């Protein structure tokens, strides 16, 4: 389902390329493939080996850039970013890549994730004399790199990265090289590919398909890649701890045609649907999914349950971005604008409605109501993830229990509130089994914190939403 409607949004997507004469144009196309990860701002920085130029703005990739702007971004190296504002909020100054110029050269960087110790580091930097220009977490790394006492840039970057806690996938570029870093838990996806004689990295593999790049491998947790005209090197700034990639990448965020660690997202979501059907068999006439991210799970449920899959809900793809807004009133109106029930499919039918998650419950209530108004005799809601009971501090904009309907209501209470005839959530064990990662350990390489409350990193008190601080006392 659309992130705008649900209040469940990924922070951003990053891309980097080195060794291609049209690096900026390639980055432009890759960012379009990553547009689902952020719609509030986009930026590209490019280098020709001597000079570094950049352009950025608020809005969609196609709204920010035109051919004239891209032609001015010359060089064989580039990084790009699409942003959804969580930590630090919006505004032009927070659109990435961020660029820092000094006597020793230019540094530009972009980031996907969220640092849980950002506030502590900002206070520390300000006490030491740093003047922060943005409210973004990303700027912290640039200041730490500049203040590091090591002689080489590589050592300064490695030293600075060891001070960060939380989720991060960084692309860092100077006039002469590209660096790529993933946090020690691997909370965010990041993949390396070969493109011609050069290399590319991206938050999702769908960005490689459009530019004709071939996937090499996932970037390892705690790994720092250095890419320049001499080739590519792999260093470590931290030994990997237990892998804990965000489960919502498989459930909701990533595009169906992307792969994470060799697992195709569409196939994983189909298995989630099949697992749901095994855990919660329902007597019904049709199965339908909430467009778009729930379609794969709905197909899986229908196949396993031997119930016909039908397009019971249609998304209007030509509505503008007028309601990507935080207010509840606009969010509720957005449901009506974006989704329409197909009366000819659901009228007189017992409907299984598959969705990927329930955050506030507002959208689910509206959709159930629409289906019943269109003549569905029963609406059974099945969710291809466990109940989201805990906030995320790693770059998803659910910062408080207060925002999450499952944190303070039982499944039966949620069912009553959304008006469904039944409501079922996938089990945590079923989620891990269905995704099919082969990691060792209890969570098989997943971060399950939003379901279980067990966070892979320390959570700092000033990271908490005011509501969370009250709960802590």
């Amino acid at each position: 389902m659309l992130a705008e409607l649900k209040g469940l949004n990924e922070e951003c997507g990053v891309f980097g390329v080195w060794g291609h004469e049209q690096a900026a144009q390639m980055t432009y196309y890759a960012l379009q493939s990553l547009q689902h990860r952020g719609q509030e701002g986009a930026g590209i920085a490019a280098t020709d080996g001597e000079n570094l130029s950049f352009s950025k703005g608020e809005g969609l990739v196609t709204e920010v850039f035109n051919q004239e702007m891209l032609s001015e971004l010359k060089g064989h190296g580039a990084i790009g970013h699409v942003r959804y504002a969580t930590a630090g909020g919006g505004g032009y100054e927070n659109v990435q890549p961020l660029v820092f110029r000094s006597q020793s050269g230019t540094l530009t960087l972009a980031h996907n994730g969220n640092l849980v110790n950002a506030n502590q580091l900002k206070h520390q930097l300000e006490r030491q004399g740093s003047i922060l220009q943005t409210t973004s977490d990303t700027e912290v790394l640039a200041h730490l790199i500049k203040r590091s006492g090591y002689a080489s840039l590589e050592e300064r970057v490695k030293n600075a990265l060891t001070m960060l806690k939380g989720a991060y996938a960084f692309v860092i570029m100077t006039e002469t090289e590209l660096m790529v870093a993933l946090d020690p838990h691997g909370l965010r996806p990041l993949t390396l590919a070969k493109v011609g004689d050069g290399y590319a990295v991206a938050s999702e593999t769908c960005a490689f398909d459009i530019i004709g790049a071939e996937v090499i491998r996932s970037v390892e947790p705690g790994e720092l890649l250095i890419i320049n005209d001499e080739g590519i090197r792999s260093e470590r700034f931290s030994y990997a701890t237990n892998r804990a990639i965000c489960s919502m990448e498989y459930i909701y965020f990533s595009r169906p045609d992307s792969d994470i660690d060799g697992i195709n997202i569409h196939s994983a979501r189909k298995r989630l649907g099949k697992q749901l059907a095994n855990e919660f068999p329902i007597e019904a006439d049709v199965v339908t999914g909430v467009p778009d991210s729930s379609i794969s799970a709905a197909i899986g449920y229908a196949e396993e349950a031997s119930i016909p899959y039908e397009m019971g809900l249609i998304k209007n793809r030509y509505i503008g971005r007028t309601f990507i807004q935080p207010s509840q009133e606009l969010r509720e109106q957005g449901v009506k604008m974006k989704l329409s029930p197909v009366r000819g499919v659901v009228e007189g039918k017992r409907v299984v409605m598959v969705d990927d998650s329930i955050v506030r419950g507002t959208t689910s209530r509206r959709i159930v109501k629409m289906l019943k108004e269109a003549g569905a005799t029963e609406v059974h809601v099945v969710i291809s993830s466990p109940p989201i009971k805990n906030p995320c501090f790693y770059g998803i904009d659910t910062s408080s229990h207060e925002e999450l309907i499952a944190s303070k209501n039982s499944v039966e209470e949620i069912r009553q509130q959304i008006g469904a005839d039944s409501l079922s959530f996938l089990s945590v064990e079923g989620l891990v089994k269905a995704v099919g990662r082969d990691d060792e350990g209890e969570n098989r390489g997943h971060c399950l914190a939003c379901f279980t409350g067990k966070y892979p990193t320390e959570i700092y008190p000033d990271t908490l939403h005011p509501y969370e601080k009250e709960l802590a006392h």
Side-chain angles (χ1 to χ4, degrees):
M1 187 189 286
L2 290 180
E4 301 96 312
L5 299 178
K6 301 179 61 173
L8 188 65
N9 295 283
E10 171 64 60
E11 187 176 352
C12 60
V14 296
F15 179 82
V17 60
W18 194 272
H20 195 285
E21 289 308 312
Q22 293 185 307
Q25 287 86 343
M26 186 167 288
T27 302
Y28 171 81
Y29 289 118
L31 292 184
Q32 283 191 296
S33 293
L34 298 173
Q35 187 74 85
H36 59 287
R37 298 185 75 88
Q39 301 87 38
E40 295 191 358
I44 297 173
T47 178
D48 61 6
E50 295 181 357
N51 300 298
L52 197 151
S53 56
F54 75 99
S55 182
K56 65 180 185 177
E58 295 181 271
L60 299 174
V61 176
T62 52
E63 295 169 346
V64 173
F65 297 102
N66 56 41
Q67 188 57 48
E68 182 181 352
M69 295 167 69
L70 289 172
S71 65
E72 293 175 357
L73 296 172
K74 294 180 170 60
H76 62 280
I79 63 173
H81 186 269
V82 288
R83 174 173 175 79
Y84 177 89
T86 53
Y92 175 84
E93 70 278 5
N94 287 317
V95 177
Q96 300 177 35
L98 301 182
V99 179
F100 302 88
R101 302 190 188 277
S102 69
Q103 298 284 20
S104 58
T106 305
L107 181 76
T108 179
L109 66 163
H111 165 222
N112 173 25
N114 206 51
L115 305 180
V116 295
N117 66 336
N119 290 334
Q120 285 86 349
L121 291 172
K122 287 176 182 178
H123 291 317
Q124 175 187 323
L125 288 165
E126 287 177 345
R127 286 196 300 269
Q128 294 171 350
S130 292
I131 298 173
L132 300 174
Q133 302 293 319
T134 74
T135 56
S136 169
D137 287 1
T138 312
E139 186 180 2
V140 169
L141 179 62
H143 285 273
L144 291 174
I145 292 170
K146 189 65 181 174
R147 287 185 166 275
S148 175
Y150 288 92
S152 73
L153 176 63
E154 181 183 320
E155 291 302 318
R156 293 203 303 272
V157 170
K158 287 164 74 172
N159 177 245
L161 289 168
T162 63
M163 302 181 197
L164 307 181
K165 307 293 183 186
Y168 54 87
F170 275 104
V171 285
I172 306 162
M173 191 173 71
T174 67
E175 289 90 346
T176 57
E177 64 186 349
L178 170 66
M179 295 186 181
V180 181
L182 184 63
D183 71 81
H185 291 279
L187 281 152
R188 290 278 160 257
L190 194 61
T191 305
L192 172 69
K194 194 87 170 69
V195 53
D197 294 327
Y199 295 92
V201 292
S203 293
E204 288 187 41
T205 61
C206 64
F208 299 140
D209 296 332
I210 197 170
I211 62 171
E214 293 185 11
V215 171
I216 298 174
R217 63 175 176 85
S218 297
V219 178
E220 293 294 320
E223 183 177 26
L224 176 68
L225 293 175
I226 301 98
I227 307 170
N228 53 36
D229 292 344
E230 297 176 4
I232 184 170
R233 286 189 295 114
S234 173
E235 299 283 340
R236 297 209 69 86
F237 64 89
S238 169
Y239 288 104
T241 55
N242 293 330
R243 185 73 195 263
I245 191 163
C246 173
S247 296
M248 295 307 294
E249 293 286 353
Y250 291 103
I251 296 164
Y252 172 69
F253 291 129
S254 293
R255 245 174 54 167
D257 53 336
S258 288
D259 295 345
I260 297 177
D261 293 337
I263 297 174
N264 174 253
I265 298 302
H266 166 70
S267 299
R269 288 177 186 160
K270 272 191 72 175
R271 291 193 297 271
L272 293 174
K274 288 175 180 288
Q275 182 67 25
L276 254 180
N278 287 321
E279 292 185 13
F280 301 103
I282 294 169
E283 289 189 15
D285 303 306
V286 296
V287 175
T288 192
V290 180
D292 282 318
S293 55
S294 306
I295 299 299
S296 301
I299 293 170
Y301 189 101
E303 285 184 5
E304 190 70 15
S306 298
I307 301 172
Y309 170 79
E310 296 283 358
M311 291 180 64
L313 292 163
I314 298 294
K315 184 169 78 172
N316 184 347
R317 300 179 187 279
Y318 302 100
I319 295 292
R321 295 166 56 251
T322 53
F323 62 88
I324 304 181
Q325 302 289 341
S327 83
Q328 193 71 17
E329 182 181 354
L330 285 174
R331 188 180 292 111
E332 292 188 13
Q333 183 62 26
V335 179
K336 292 181 178 179
M337 292 169 66
K338 280 286 188 180
L339 296 172
S340 301
V342 181
R343 181 176 292 273
V345 169
V346 303
E347 189 171 26
K349 303 287 180 59
R350 299 168 297 173
V351 178
V352 174
M353 182 191 104
V354 181
D355 204 353
D356 48 64
S357 56
I358 294 181
V359 182
R360 297 178 179 89
T362 307
T363 302
S364 299
R365 183 173 69 248
R366 291 280 179 178
I367 297 173
V368 169
K369 183 180 179 183
M370 284 194 297
L371 289 170
K372 290 197 170 183
E373 287 176 348
T377 58
E378 298 175 9
V379 178
H380 301 274
V381 177
V382 294
I383 306 297
S384 60
S385 65
I388 299 176
K389 298 181 178 180
N390 304 281
C392 176
F393 302 105
Y394 303 122
I396 301 172
D397 67 343
T398 55
S399 59
S400 152
H401 283 91
E402 191 176 24
E403 300 173 340
L404 305 171
I405 191 172
S407 74
K408 52 187 181 291
N409 292 278
S410 67
V411 173
E412 173 57 22
E413 288 169 336
I414 299 170
R415 182 199 68 77
Q416 292 175 13
Q417 290 183 43
I418 68 173
D421 291 276
S422 71
L423 171 64
S424 306
F425 290 89
L426 186 64
S427 66
V428 172
E429 297 77 16
L431 164 65
V432 172
K433 176 184 175 183
V435 169
R437 293 183 61 90
D438 58 7
D439 303 61
E440 296 180 356
E442 180 184 1
N443 295 338
R444 299 267 297 277
H446 293 265
C447 175
L448 302 167
C450 55
F451 313 125
T452 65
K454 297 178 181 178
Y455 295 92
T457 73
E458 181 180 356
I459 302 299
Y460 292 74
D462 61 0
T463 309
L464 300 176
H465 185 278
Y467 180 82
E468 303 300 313
K469 292 179 181 178
E470 290 181 20
L471 288 181
H473 293 298

